[in-house]
Amino acid sequence: MDGPGPPSTAKVAVAGMLTLAAAMGIGRFAYTPLLPPLRETLGWSLAAAGDVASANFLGYLVGALIAAPLAQRGSRTRWLLVGMVGSAVTTCLGAFVDGLAGWLLIRLLSGVASAFCLVLGTATVVEALVARHRPGLAALHFAGVGGGIVLSVVVIEAVAAAGGSVHASWAALGLVAAAALAWSGAVLLRAAAVSGTPHGPVDPASAPAAARGPLLRLIVAYGLFGFGYVVTATFIVAMARRLGEATLLEPATWAVVGLLAAPSVAFWQHLSRRIGIFAALRVAFAIEAAGVLLAGYGSGAWALLLGGALLGATFMGITAQGLGAAREIAGRHPGRVLGWMTAAFGLGQWLGPAVAGRLAEYSGGFGLPSLVAAILLVLGLLLLRAPARA
């Protein structure tokens, strides 16, 4: 174990991984595997289920926009701890809430908390890793999202095997998340104390004139991605419940998403270095569109599993590489650019579940909302072009 001094570089990366596992993989995405039993227990329609998911993504949008300027201030660590506590508490509250209004509220607050953990936790971890000349370990930090998804499946299946209800699953997930966040919070507090106060905010000037066209297209594409990925990410386990093998297929489908998501950021970083970040993004958009169509229109369990695998392999890679592309275009003035990227992405994923839930009710299945999502991803792909070199 580390002594009273600064935590080791590996421990900082692991603390970041656990932060995202608890706040994102569990706090944000456990709703997906628990959606079918929640609907059965609470009598929700697909539209109501989509509204609850959208409330979480609205909270994420609000939280990300609030957290972005806080990441540049000396109070960053305090607000990160607020996000950690909020994520653990709102996950635990799922054990006690039955009414739709209550669920809308706790998922909204959970979204705010998860955004604080992602934005402020990532700023803390990446700053510490760069200071130690190990920025490549950031891929371990981002692997926490996929790891948390897999962990949530294990916990949910263990509770179900013991005869526990969906409310018991939320309680167990909340306790696991609280334990992970307590340890990672202590490590990141020490890391931040050693790193000192963050530098002042980056000049939020607009991007150079020559880059404004490609930048606008990238922002729109990122918003289309937010809508395109979240339809399947919200409803894929509900899709599995409609098949005959649902008992095994539900946990397997979501576990596949997490298993592929965990190493995906490192893979897309490597591919971006080889073929360029915009080319890699186009490949990822195409693969994700295929996965969304397979999940929504494919026949049988294997189509759903493959669709989930393609979603897991791409959504975190696009998330990270899209922001990297924005920084590349903006050059020395990324502040406002990253804010617009966050807003576009948040708007897309806020609208996605609510629209998809209503389309699914109207059409009697998930084919139509999946088709809409895939079309939007293809439109995003067509918008992705790197700025011309001077």
Side-chain angles (χ1 to χ4, degrees):
M1 295 181 62
D2 291 338
S8 68
T9 304
K11 184 170 279 191
V12 170
V14 171
M17 178 182 69
L18 288 178
T19 298
L20 294 191
M24 300 290 292
I26 293 175
R28 188 172 173 206
F29 286 119
Y31 180 77
T32 297
L34 289 175
L35 177 54
L38 275 173
R39 288 188 63 215
E40 290 180 356
T41 302
L42 303 179
W44 290 349
S45 66
L46 283 172
D51 289 343
V52 173
S54 287
N56 183 253
F57 296 125
L58 175 61
Y60 178 84
L61 169 60
V62 172
L65 293 175
I66 294 172
L70 295 176
Q72 304 292 339
R73 299 176 183 171
S75 59
R76 175 204 294 168
T77 306
R78 180 170 70 242
W79 288 108
L80 172 58
L81 293 178
V82 169
M84 289 178 163
V85 172
S87 182
V89 169
T90 52
T91 303
C92 287
L93 283 175
F96 306 103
V97 176
D98 286 324
L100 180 61
W103 271 99
L104 289 168
L105 178 61
I106 64 170
R107 293 307 292 164
L108 177 75
L109 296 175
S110 175
V112 174
S114 67
F116 273 43
C117 290
L118 177 65
V119 175
L120 303 178
T122 298
T124 301
V125 170
V126 171
E127 185 174 277
L129 295 178
V130 168
R132 297 158 190 240
H133 309 291
R134 297 292 302 278
L137 280 178
L140 180 60
H141 165 67
F142 285 110
V145 178
I149 288 173
V150 175
L151 179 59
S152 70
V153 171
V154 172
V155 172
I156 290 166
E157 290 303 301
V159 172
S165 66
V166 66
H167 291 90
S169 292
W170 280 109
L173 288 168
L175 292 175
V176 170
L181 289 168
W183 184 86
S184 61
V187 173
L188 295 182
L189 271 175
R190 290 166 56 201
V194 172
S195 299
T197 302
H199 298 294
V202 179
D203 178 10
S206 57
R212 287 176 189 167
L215 180 57
L216 178 60
R217 290 192 294 271
L218 174 62
I219 290 170
V220 174
Y222 207 58
L224 295 174
F225 157 63
F227 190 113
Y229 102 89
V230 81
V231 171
T232 309
T234 300
F235 291 109
I236 191 169
V237 177
M239 297 176 193
R241 177 147 293 201
R242 298 189 169 203
L243 299 177
E245 308 91 336
T247 303
L248 293 175
L249 188 58
E250 286 181 30
T253 300
W254 195 233
V256 164
V257 174
L259 288 169
L260 271 293
S264 64
V265 172
F267 169 80
W268 290 107
Q269 284 177 342
H270 175 73
L271 187 64
S272 293
R273 288 192 292 268
R274 291 182 62 87
I275 67 174
I277 195 166
F278 279 87
L281 278 170
R282 288 193 294 271
V283 172
F285 267 66
I287 292 172
E288 186 159 299
V292 166
L293 280 177
L294 267 174
Y297 271 106
S299 176
W302 285 108
L304 194 62
L305 287 169
L306 181 56
L310 297 181
L311 173 72
T314 52
F315 82 94
M316 281 304 300
I318 296 174
T319 301
Q321 296 304 101
L323 294 176
R327 286 193 297 268
E328 185 178 280
I329 293 177
R332 297 164 60 184
H333 305 293
R336 184 175 299 168
V337 169
L338 296 184
W340 279 108
M341 290 283 286
T342 300
F345 176 75
L347 179 63
Q349 68 172 6
W350 170 44
L351 293 173
V355 172
R358 284 162 175 79
L359 287 176
E361 285 199 338
Y362 168 77
S363 63
F366 291 99
L368 179 58
S370 297
L371 177 62
V372 171
I375 289 172
L376 293 181
L377 286 167
V378 171
L379 289 176
L381 182 159
L382 296 175
L383 290 171
L384 291 169
R385 296 197 298 275
R389 300 294 180 186

